[in-house]
Amino acid sequence: MIKDYIILGQRIGYLRRQKGLSQEELAERADLSREFINMIENNKTKLGVDSLVDIANSLGVSADDILVDSLEHSASTANSELHRLLLDCNETEEYILTQMAKALKAILSAQGI
């Protein structure tokens, strides 16, 4: 059972933006309506397994990546604190935080950490 449809919708929106897709483009790829995608992302409706699979396939991710918050056992890294931080960012915030994380990672690697 999906535990948190708010986070599920946020995660789908985040993954959609990561792929550079509009709601309309995702809807077209998943053979769903843009309104339905919008309702999912804004927690106005729940989605079934078929729609979840269609969305995951359209985004090129596993259902595990989308459902990570509802799974007791997941191989996905989407449940990390950093990933959760990015879920509610706008595009500018997400870009800045991602660039900062990449720069910090390079510094840590250069220091042998």
Side-chain angles (χ1 to χ4, degrees):
M1 169 178 261
I2 297 174
K3 295 179 181 179
D4 194 335
Y5 281 93
I6 294 171
I7 292 175
L8 177 74
Q10 289 175 341
R11 187 170 312 284
I12 289 171
Y14 171 78
L15 293 167
R16 176 182 57 75
R17 289 187 302 276
Q18 284 292 103
K19 300 292 181 174
L21 298 173
S22 67
Q23 288 181 343
E24 181 70 35
E25 291 168 320
L26 175 57
E28 187 175 309
R29 288 182 180 197
D31 197 26
L32 300 167
S33 71
R34 188 211 53 84
E35 293 79 11
F36 186 63
I37 297 295
N38 183 269
M39 290 171 60
I40 291 167
E41 290 184 10
N42 290 293
N43 193 34
K44 304 288 184 200
T45 191
K46 296 178 179 178
L47 71 159
V49 173
D50 289 342
S51 296
L52 175 67
V53 170
D54 290 340
I55 290 170
N57 285 335
S58 298
L59 291 170
V61 300
S62 72
D64 190 50
D65 288 331
I66 295 174
L67 292 171
V68 66
D69 299 299
S70 297
L71 299 173
E72 290 181 21
H73 306 285
S74 173
S76 176
T77 60
N79 199 26
S80 70
E81 187 173 351
L82 183 58
H83 185 86
R84 287 191 305 274
L85 173 70
L86 293 172
L87 282 176
D88 69 346
C89 289
N90 63 39
E91 289 183 36
T92 302
E93 293 169 332
E94 182 181 319
Y95 175 79
I96 291 168
L97 288 172
T98 301
Q99 295 305 310
M100 289 176 62
K102 287 178 180 179
L104 182 56
K105 184 171 182 350
I107 291 168
L108 292 173
S109 292
Q111 297 296 316
I113 299 173

